[in-house]
Amino acid sequence: MTGITALAIHLPRLRLQRAAMAAAMGWLCPRGEARGARTLAYWDEDPITMGVAAARACLAQVPQARTAIRALTFATTTPVFAEPQQAALAHAGLRLPEATRTQDVGGTMRCGLLALHAVLESTDPALLIAADMPLNNPGGMAEMRYSDGGVSALVGGGPDLLTYRGGASLSAPFIERYRAPDRPLATDWEERWVREEGFLDLVPRAIAETLAKAQLSAADIDHFVLPCVIPGAAKAVAQAAGLSRAKLAQPLDLECGDTGAAHALVMLARVMEDMHPGERVLVAQFGQGATALVLEATDAITTFPTAASAALAAGVTEANYLKLPIFRGLMPWERGLRGRFPVNEALTTAYRNSEALLGFVGGRSLETGQVQFPPSRLAVAEAGLFAQTQQPCPLADLGGTVATATADRLAFSRSPPNCYGLIDIPGGARLMMDFTDPEAERLSPGDPVNFVFRIRDLDERTGYRRYFWKAVAAPAPSAAD
């Protein structure tokens, strides 16, 4: 049987406090208790960048599996592009083999788990990415509950953490949430009807079919994962399905909110940190039907990193509600003269240089060992120029050191100040790069940085966006390191 070889999540660092959201909109849409926080993607993050970040962390767990991957599926209900594929851009950013089938799936928040079900039933080593940024009407409960995040799962290509025991997917024309293609905001239907006629009817039936296929009983399940923003619904489903012995996974609603298409696997990643060999977890999700999968922990589960807990704890408190509509483009704002410029992209140039721009691949001189970016036919060294073919040198995982740092409050930025500087990369390369993330202005010369795949700029006339790599502060080493 196949199974999950690696699993990793990415959560944006900003944590928008629900109390701040209620304070900003409570005069118009009064709400009761507003505890905890939801993740808020930074202005240069989107489902593609979050998916790439999660996939990089996933592949880092099994580095040798990268060349074996033959399929990449990108699942989201909030695609950046109707065309081209999100999966094709993620494929380039991850430097996966050219002979990799790429596809996008969506249409329901269950699409991430649906895609995992399909991958687990196949034989080729595959990478799944699920990432979402659900948009909801300002002031509503859905805006507080749903959040931003990504997850990636590797199936095949190494020893399994979780072995697949069986699964079932049921389809039904049950519409609990809808959005037209030309509308940015989704509409949710009445909660009680969704809970009673949707979750409590369809999910237990999917669970029963899954247990039958796995030749297991409800008493054989140790953990139960079911994302649901309706309070109490997951517990009611567990009771209806007879999962009285199973430990109900925490919904993570106070820590990060519901990350849509990614959330079933975000919750699973947290549960895996507490699992022991031989324990079984049932993962289910609702949305125009229901999917349920049973997975069993192997001895390798003891090596699973506690990265999910670290990501949940690594948030930066954000109390300014207006950053949500500004970052999402829902509110016009005065940009000043420097903000009024078009973004033009020569698609021919972007394609010819895609390995450098999306894969962040530089060149290493075979003559001098010098690394440079962008790659060139001419190797630069103190002794002169060497007209010699360079060896491709991936830079994304190398990190670097800040040589110079500027926090510019005069230049246009969607989240001032505009931070940038020179970065020294191991091997001799020095590159001017943008700094990003909420604490970018704290970077100073000598600080170590990591590189992240982010939005470079946006063309609001056409909806096109360019991607490149930026520098973020490297996390401080832990005591275990």
Side-chain angles (χ1 to χ4, degrees):
M1 298 289 288
T2 187
I4 295 177
T5 302
L7 184 68
I9 71 172
H10 171 77
L11 298 177
R13 294 192 65 207
L14 283 182
R15 302 292 194 272
L16 182 58
Q17 303 299 299
R18 293 193 179 94
M21 300 175 73
M25 296 297 292
W27 64 273
L28 181 63
C29 307
R31 296 295 175 194
E33 184 179 17
R35 296 184 301 142
R38 52 151 291 177
T39 53
L40 173 62
Y42 206 52
W43 77 263
D44 58 354
E45 292 186 285
D46 65 12
I48 292 176
T49 68
M50 292 189 296
V52 168
R56 290 180 67 200
C58 181
L59 292 173
Q61 296 175 22
V62 193
Q64 71 275 13
R66 180 188 297 271
T67 57
I69 293 172
R70 290 297 173 265
L72 170 62
T73 301
F74 198 106
T76 183
T77 66
T78 53
V80 176
F81 295 109
E83 298 179 66
Q85 281 185 336
Q86 337 298 302
L89 292 170
H91 170 272
L94 295 168
R95 296 180 288 106
L96 296 180
E98 187 178 44
T100 302
R101 299 188 306 275
T102 58
Q103 65 171 346
D104 290 350
V105 297
T108 169
M109 288 192 176
R110 185 169 56 110
C111 62
L113 199 62
L114 269 171
L116 179 61
H117 187 195
V119 168
L120 288 169
E121 296 279 350
S122 66
T123 56
D124 288 337
L127 187 67
L128 165 67
I129 295 173
D132 244 345
M133 289 173 56
L135 278 177
N136 297 277
N137 288 299
M141 285 302 298
E143 184 185 51
M144 286 190 173
R145 291 170 172 173
Y146 288 111
S147 61
D148 310 327
V151 67
S152 181
L154 177 65
V155 173
D160 291 337
L161 297 167
L162 298 173
T163 299
Y164 175 57
R165 293 294 303 271
S169 290
L170 309 179
S171 296
F174 189 103
I175 310 299
E176 80 285 358
R177 180 179 171 89
Y178 60 88
R179 178 174 63 86
D182 61 339
R183 304 292 177 88
L185 305 177
T187 299
D188 291 279
W189 201 240
E190 198 271 327
E191 281 189 1
R192 186 175 61 173
W193 183 72
V194 174
R195 178 183 186 273
E196 300 298 326
E197 299 297 326
F199 275 87
L200 285 173
D201 178 35
L202 288 163
V203 180
R205 284 198 275 147
I207 291 172
E209 185 168 339
T210 295
L211 292 174
K213 288 185 176 181
Q215 299 182 344
L216 297 170
S217 69
D220 294 320
I221 302 302
D222 302 286
H223 303 271
F224 178 46
V225 174
L226 177 64
C228 181
V229 297
I230 302 174
K235 183 177 180 180
V237 168
Q239 293 172 343
L243 300 172
S244 58
R245 198 182 72 81
K247 183 178 180 181
L248 187 63
Q250 292 299 309
L252 307 179
D253 54 335
L254 298 181
E255 295 88 347
C256 70
D258 189 302
T259 56
H263 206 57
L265 298 185
V266 169
M267 291 172 63
L268 175 62
R270 177 62 189 88
V271 168
M272 289 169 65
E273 295 180 358
D274 300 327
M275 289 183 70
H276 302 285
E279 289 187 338
R280 302 182 184 97
V281 56
L282 195 152
V283 187
Q285 197 163 11
F286 175 80
Q288 290 85 70
T291 293
L293 310 175
V294 173
L295 301 155
E296 184 173 321
T298 70
D299 290 342
I301 198 71
T302 58
T303 67
F304 186 67
T306 57
S309 291
L312 289 164
V316 175
T317 299
E318 179 55 68
N320 190 341
Y321 167 75
L322 287 179
K323 287 191 178 181
L324 172 58
I326 291 291
F327 286 175
R328 295 297 181 276
L330 298 176
M331 179 184 293
W333 55 289
E334 176 53 48
R335 300 156 186 250
L337 293 175
R338 292 176 178 84
R340 301 170 188 170
F341 64 91
V343 175
N344 295 313
E345 175 69 283
L347 296 180
T348 50
T349 301
Y351 174 69
R352 289 177 181 138
N353 296 282
S354 59
E355 186 176 46
L357 297 176
L358 298 179
F360 202 22
V361 177
R364 184 190 300 275
S365 170
L366 298 175
E367 180 74 23
T368 67
Q370 177 82 14
V371 174
Q372 63 188 65
F373 186 92
S376 169
R377 290 181 298 168
L378 297 177
V380 180
E382 292 183 3
L385 299 178
F386 295 85
Q388 182 178 349
T389 302
Q390 293 185 349
Q391 182 181 28
C393 179
L395 305 179
D397 296 330
L398 294 183
T401 304
V402 176
T404 66
T406 299
D408 189 344
R409 292 190 179 275
L410 295 178
F412 169 75
S413 173
R414 286 177 168 79
S415 184
N418 186 17
C419 300
Y420 53 88
L422 287 171
I423 301 296
D424 287 329
I425 300 174
R430 173 171 280 193
L431 179 63
M432 179 68 73
M433 300 188 75
D434 289 331
F435 302 164
T436 190
D437 268 6
E439 299 173 327
E441 61 185 303
R442 297 186 182 181
L443 284 172
S444 59
D447 288 346
V449 295
N450 292 333
F451 301 132
V452 292
F453 187 74
R454 293 292 178 89
I455 299 168
R456 179 64 180 85
D457 30 47
L458 304 163
D459 187 340
E460 296 179 358
R461 300 167 304 159
T462 66
Y464 191 79
R465 56 188 65 188
R466 295 193 300 175
Y467 296 92
F468 189 54
W469 297 78
K470 297 182 181 180
V472 296
S478 64
D481 298 333

